[in-house]
Amino acid sequence: MPATGPAEEGNRQVRRLILPMVLAAILALTGCGNDGPATPEPGVGTDADADVDLDLPDAAADAVRPACPFSAEQIAGFVGQPMVDQGNCSFGDGKGVALLTVTTASQVAGEMTYAYQRQQADQIYQTVTDLGAGEKGYLAVKDIGAEAVVISGAGSFTVTLSSFERLGAQPDGYAQAVRQLLDALPR
Protein backbone atom coordinates (compact mmCIF):
# COMPACT_ATOMS: atom_id res chain seq x y z
CA MET A 1 0.00 0.00 0.00
CA PRO A 2 1.48 3.37 -0.99
CA ALA A 3 2.14 5.95 1.69
CA THR A 4 -0.14 8.93 1.78
CA GLY A 5 1.12 12.41 2.30
CA PRO A 6 -0.65 15.55 3.54
CA ALA A 7 -1.79 16.48 0.03
CA GLU A 8 -3.46 13.11 -0.56
CA GLU A 9 -5.19 13.26 2.84
CA GLY A 10 -6.49 16.74 2.02
CA ASN A 11 -7.89 15.50 -1.30
CA ARG A 12 -9.75 12.69 0.48
CA GLN A 13 -11.33 15.15 2.91
CA VAL A 14 -12.47 17.37 0.03
CA ARG A 15 -13.97 14.36 -1.81
CA ARG A 16 -15.84 13.33 1.35
CA LEU A 17 -17.38 16.80 1.62
CA ILE A 18 -18.28 17.23 -2.05
CA LEU A 19 -20.78 14.37 -2.31
CA PRO A 20 -23.00 15.55 0.60
CA MET A 21 -22.94 19.12 -0.74
CA VAL A 22 -23.91 17.99 -4.25
CA LEU A 23 -26.74 15.84 -2.88
CA ALA A 24 -28.01 18.72 -0.73
CA ALA A 25 -27.99 21.06 -3.72
CA ILE A 26 -29.87 18.53 -5.88
CA LEU A 27 -32.48 17.98 -3.19
CA ALA A 28 -32.93 21.71 -2.70
CA LEU A 29 -33.28 22.39 -6.41
CA THR A 30 -35.65 19.55 -7.13
CA GLY A 31 -37.65 19.79 -3.97
CA CYS A 32 -37.30 16.02 -3.68
CA GLY A 33 -40.57 15.60 -5.60
CA ASN A 34 -42.54 17.64 -3.07
CA ASP A 35 -44.96 20.16 -4.51
CA GLY A 36 -45.67 21.79 -1.15
CA PRO A 37 -46.47 21.01 2.43
CA ALA A 38 -48.48 17.90 3.11
CA THR A 39 -52.14 18.42 3.86
CA PRO A 40 -52.99 16.85 7.21
CA GLU A 41 -55.75 14.29 7.37
CA PRO A 42 -58.78 15.23 9.49
CA GLY A 43 -58.23 14.24 13.07
CA VAL A 44 -57.04 15.64 16.34
CA GLY A 45 -55.78 19.21 15.98
CA THR A 46 -57.23 19.89 12.54
CA ASP A 47 -60.24 21.89 11.39
CA ALA A 48 -62.25 18.97 10.04
CA ASP A 49 -65.47 20.70 11.10
CA ALA A 50 -64.76 24.30 10.12
CA ASP A 51 -68.40 25.35 10.54
CA VAL A 52 -68.15 25.41 14.35
CA ASP A 53 -69.49 28.69 15.78
CA LEU A 54 -66.91 30.06 18.19
CA ASP A 55 -69.17 32.92 19.37
CA LEU A 56 -66.43 35.56 19.66
CA PRO A 57 -68.17 38.87 18.95
CA ASP A 58 -65.92 40.89 21.29
CA ALA A 59 -62.74 39.41 19.83
CA ALA A 60 -63.95 40.17 16.30
CA ALA A 61 -64.65 43.79 17.22
CA ASP A 62 -61.17 44.14 18.73
CA ALA A 63 -59.58 42.81 15.54
CA VAL A 64 -60.81 45.66 13.33
CA ARG A 65 -58.02 47.74 11.82
CA PRO A 66 -59.09 51.36 11.44
CA ALA A 67 -58.72 53.20 8.14
CA CYS A 68 -56.32 56.10 7.73
CA PRO A 69 -57.86 58.91 9.79
CA PHE A 70 -56.34 61.87 7.88
CA SER A 71 -56.12 63.50 4.48
CA ALA A 72 -53.11 65.40 3.12
CA GLU A 73 -54.93 68.69 3.76
CA GLN A 74 -55.50 67.81 7.42
CA ILE A 75 -51.86 66.79 7.85
CA ALA A 76 -50.75 70.06 6.24
CA GLY A 77 -52.75 71.94 8.86
CA PHE A 78 -51.04 70.06 11.70
CA VAL A 79 -47.47 70.49 10.44
CA GLY A 80 -47.84 73.95 8.91
CA GLN A 81 -46.71 73.16 5.36
CA PRO A 82 -48.19 71.60 2.22
CA MET A 83 -48.16 67.79 2.19
CA VAL A 84 -48.66 65.17 -0.53
CA ASP A 85 -50.58 61.94 0.04
CA GLN A 86 -48.13 59.17 -0.84
CA GLY A 87 -50.62 56.39 -0.17
CA ASN A 88 -50.97 53.94 2.70
CA CYS A 89 -51.40 56.78 5.23
CA SER A 90 -47.98 58.25 4.42
CA PHE A 91 -47.56 61.95 3.68
CA GLY A 92 -44.49 63.72 2.33
CA ASP A 93 -43.47 67.27 1.56
CA GLY A 94 -43.07 66.49 -2.16
CA LYS A 95 -39.31 67.08 -1.93
CA GLY A 96 -38.37 63.75 -0.38
CA VAL A 97 -37.38 65.31 2.94
CA ALA A 98 -40.18 65.62 5.49
CA LEU A 99 -42.34 62.54 6.12
CA LEU A 100 -45.33 61.78 8.32
CA THR A 101 -46.81 58.30 8.57
CA VAL A 102 -49.75 56.94 10.51
CA THR A 103 -49.73 53.20 11.01
CA THR A 104 -53.06 51.76 12.10
CA ALA A 105 -53.78 48.42 13.73
CA SER A 106 -56.48 46.80 15.79
CA GLN A 107 -56.59 47.48 19.51
CA VAL A 108 -55.48 43.91 20.19
CA ALA A 109 -52.49 44.17 17.82
CA GLY A 110 -51.50 47.48 19.41
CA GLU A 111 -51.59 45.96 22.88
CA MET A 112 -49.38 43.10 21.73
CA THR A 113 -46.61 45.35 20.38
CA TYR A 114 -46.86 48.29 22.78
CA ALA A 115 -44.17 47.23 25.28
CA TYR A 116 -41.66 46.64 22.51
CA GLN A 117 -42.43 49.95 20.78
CA ARG A 118 -42.09 51.82 24.07
CA GLN A 119 -38.76 50.13 24.81
CA GLN A 120 -37.44 51.08 21.37
CA ALA A 121 -38.62 54.67 21.77
CA ASP A 122 -36.74 54.95 25.08
CA GLN A 123 -33.55 54.04 23.22
CA ILE A 124 -34.07 56.21 20.14
CA TYR A 125 -35.71 59.44 21.33
CA GLN A 126 -34.46 62.10 23.74
CA THR A 127 -37.69 62.33 25.74
CA VAL A 128 -40.53 59.83 26.09
CA THR A 129 -43.63 60.71 28.09
CA ASP A 130 -46.87 58.87 28.82
CA LEU A 131 -49.97 60.40 27.30
CA GLY A 132 -52.26 59.76 30.25
CA ALA A 133 -55.92 60.82 30.00
CA GLY A 134 -57.13 57.22 30.25
CA GLU A 135 -55.47 56.10 27.03
CA LYS A 136 -52.47 53.86 26.71
CA GLY A 137 -49.79 55.65 24.78
CA TYR A 138 -46.66 57.70 24.72
CA LEU A 139 -45.11 60.67 22.94
CA ALA A 140 -41.42 60.47 22.02
CA VAL A 141 -39.47 63.44 20.69
CA LYS A 142 -35.96 64.17 19.43
CA ASP A 143 -34.51 67.11 17.53
CA ILE A 144 -35.36 65.78 14.05
CA GLY A 145 -38.50 63.76 14.67
CA ALA A 146 -41.23 62.42 16.89
CA GLU A 147 -43.29 59.30 17.42
CA ALA A 148 -46.52 58.71 19.26
CA VAL A 149 -48.47 55.56 19.95
CA VAL A 150 -52.10 55.62 21.07
CA ILE A 151 -54.22 52.58 21.85
CA SER A 152 -57.91 53.26 22.30
CA GLY A 153 -61.27 51.65 21.64
CA ALA A 154 -61.03 52.84 18.01
CA GLY A 155 -57.78 50.93 17.44
CA SER A 156 -54.06 51.46 17.64
CA PHE A 157 -52.31 54.39 15.95
CA THR A 158 -48.57 54.96 15.55
CA VAL A 159 -47.72 58.44 14.29
CA THR A 160 -44.16 59.14 13.10
CA LEU A 161 -42.79 62.48 11.92
CA SER A 162 -39.29 63.17 10.65
CA SER A 163 -37.25 65.94 9.06
CA PHE A 164 -39.70 68.84 9.30
CA GLU A 165 -37.46 71.91 9.28
CA ARG A 166 -40.09 74.26 10.72
CA LEU A 167 -41.00 71.90 13.57
CA GLY A 168 -37.36 71.22 14.42
CA ALA A 169 -36.60 74.94 14.56
CA GLN A 170 -39.14 75.49 17.35
CA PRO A 171 -38.27 74.32 20.87
CA ASP A 172 -41.48 72.27 21.23
CA GLY A 173 -42.51 72.11 17.56
CA TYR A 174 -42.68 68.34 17.14
CA ALA A 175 -44.47 67.77 20.44
CA GLN A 176 -47.11 70.42 19.64
CA ALA A 177 -47.76 69.05 16.13
CA VAL A 178 -48.06 65.47 17.37
CA ARG A 179 -50.42 66.46 20.20
CA GLN A 180 -52.71 68.16 17.64
CA LEU A 181 -52.66 65.00 15.53
CA LEU A 182 -53.45 62.84 18.55
CA ASP A 183 -56.35 65.07 19.55
CA ALA A 184 -57.85 64.55 16.09
CA LEU A 185 -57.63 60.73 16.18
CA PRO A 186 -60.87 58.74 16.48
CA ARG A 187 -61.58 57.48 19.98
Side-chain angles (χ1 to χ4, degrees), residues 49-64:
D49 296 323
D51 61 345
V52 175
D53 184 14
L54 297 178
D55 194 28
L56 298 172
D58 293 336
D62 289 341
V64 174

Side-chain angles (χ1 to χ4, degrees), residues 95-113:
K95 301 172 190 168
V97 179
L99 182 65
L100 185 148
T101 60
V102 181
T103 305
T104 62
S106 69
Q107 183 178 359
V108 171
E111 291 283 348
M112 291 174 59
T113 60

